[in-house]
Amino acid sequence: MAETIRILCAHGVPEDMVKRLSEEIGPVEVLSSHDEEEILRAIQDKDVFVVRSKPQVTARIVENAPRLKVVARPGVGTDNIDRKACEARGIQVINTPEASASSVAELTVGLAIALLRHLYLTCAFLKEGKWAKGQYTGKTVEGKTWGVVGFGSIGRRVAEIVKAMRAEVLAYDPYVPEEEFIRRGVKRAFRLEELLERSDIVSLHVVLNSETAGLFSEEMLRKMKKGAYLINTSRGKVIDQKALLQVLREGHLAGVALDVYETEPPQDLELLTHENVICTPHIGGSTEEAFLNATEVLVNKLKALFRLGEGVPIGY
Ligand code: NAD
């Protein structure tokens, strides 16, 4: 008979997820805090540790968890998990980026429409009793060139949506094979500069790493078309925020929408209060559907890893 899979859930893991895990995978213990000593005590007999963006899963925890086989993060970022320490002990780290792709993509397109149609300004005026009908002629997505930077799960979903809106999509991602662009009917830009020079709307969907941190430097921002729009729902550090404020002040960009910031919550209110900037508090993945999907994807990944229903779980 297969051994029981014991799960430790970090403080803050949603109740629905705890319920599904206990019904479909194995007994669950839920921590009452992010305290490392409490984690160390509880993790001794656990096979799976489920965390959110907290707590830090340190090398000390990983090295003192004799049965641990999987650290699972419902969501995207795994920056709080010491992946090297996990790798050294053959512990798998899994996350659920696919669960929120549509939520982030839809927010990206929504932000673009809000910018192009001046929704934020006209709404605010009307609430003050001002009928600004004639002053804010908008633009359509149809007929524009939309540059997708980072052609992974979210970038591809954005491409699908804006193609249906009859925009031409140009995508830049040096790590995606040629066939993927062809299969999805998307033109490939071989250099970021080429995409920036040709796109009316640019949306960012890269992962944050040493190559993409600061990718949108002042030099790159200036390569964008004059009057173009920029949307960032990826990670704040991909854009140099000071440089962004500078190019906005010069009127080089028509509008910017941000969901993510160099530091969160953002400190630089000068950028956020610029009249051509709209901003949201990192809500790209915050939909009921994304949370439900994350549970579904996580449970299925754990079942596959432990080969539940097939007899032999991993590591035994
Ligand atoms: P993904 O891993 O599926 O795709 C990222 C893509 O970036 C990959 O295809 C990769 O090849 C590409 N890439 C890496 N380096 C690059 C470079 N130098 N230039 C161009 N492309 C490069 O990730 P995803 O799930 O699509 O997520 C995209 C981004 O969205 C991530 O930064 C993620 O953290 C962020 N995100 C934000 C929210 C939110 O709430 N706003 C929610 C989920 C994800």
Side-chain angles (χ1 to χ4, degrees), residues 15 19 38 63 89 102 155 199 212 235 247 255 269 280 297:
E15 268 175 38
K19 190 165 174 279
E38 186 190 351
E63 284 158 13
R89 291 214 38 230
S102 287
S199 302
T212 58
R235 282 293 179 261
V247 295
L269 295 186
T280 46
V297 173

Side-chain angles (χ1 to χ4, degrees), residues 2 25-27 64 71 102 124 138 185 214 226 253 255 259 272 276 305 310:
I25 310 289
N64 289 287
V71 179
S102 287
K226 187 165 165 48
L253 298 180
D259 185 46
L272 303 194
N276 294 337
L305 273 175
E310 291 176 39

Side-chain angles (χ1 to χ4, degrees), residues 4-168:
T4 304
I5 298 156
R6 295 181 194 284
I7 303 168
L8 182 63
C9 280
H11 176 59
V13 170
E15 268 175 38
D16 300 2
M17 190 172 290
V18 172
K19 190 165 174 279
R20 281 284 302 275
L21 289 167
S22 64
E23 283 168 358
E24 297 187 43
I25 310 289
V28 179
E29 179 179 343
V30 183
L31 291 162
S32 65
S33 74
H34 295 315
D35 176 57
E36 189 159 298
E37 300 309 319
E38 186 190 351
I39 298 170
L40 279 168
R41 271 194 304 276
I43 209 163
Q44 292 309 308
D45 62 341
K46 303 298 187 297
D47 304 276
V48 179
F49 188 18
V50 180
V51 299
R52 299 189 73 191
S53 57
K54 283 180 186 157
Q56 290 297 321
V57 183
T58 60
R60 183 167 171 243
I61 292 174
V62 171
E63 284 158 13
N64 289 287
R67 287 178 57 99
L68 193 64
K69 296 170 190 69
V70 181
V71 179
R73 156 80 162 109
V76 180
T78 52
D79 343 357
N80 57 319
I81 302 166
D82 190 328
R83 297 189 73 117
K84 268 205 183 122
C86 289
E87 212 175 295
R89 291 214 38 230
I91 293 167
Q92 306 216 31
V93 177
I94 58 172
N95 60 351
T96 63
E98 54 278 66
S100 58
S102 287
S103 298
V104 185
E106 287 180 20
L107 180 75
T108 306
V109 178
L111 288 171
I113 295 171
L115 280 176
L116 268 68
R117 303 301 295 270
H118 310 289
L119 297 187
Y120 54 111
L121 282 176
T122 51
C123 174
F125 281 141
L126 195 50
K127 285 185 178 195
E128 288 168 8
K130 293 181 197 149
W131 189 252
K133 183 169 161 62
Q135 290 149 260
Y136 288 98
T137 305
K139 288 181 180 166
T140 60
V141 171
E142 178 175 11
K144 301 292 176 300
T145 299
W146 184 304
V148 169
V149 181
F151 201 49
S153 317
I154 299 171
R156 288 171 205 192
R157 188 75 190 105
V158 167
E160 266 171 33
I161 299 171
V162 301
K163 268 174 61 118
M165 295 170 81
R166 301 186 183 162
E168 181 184 43

Side-chain angles (χ1 to χ4, degrees), residues 198-219:
R198 290 180 49 196
S199 302
D200 305 295
I201 303 157
V202 174
S203 61
L204 308 190
H205 311 289
V206 290
V207 282
L208 179 65
N209 57 29
S210 56
E211 219 181 287
T212 58
L215 183 65
F216 276 66
S217 59
E218 185 167 342
E219 190 192 347

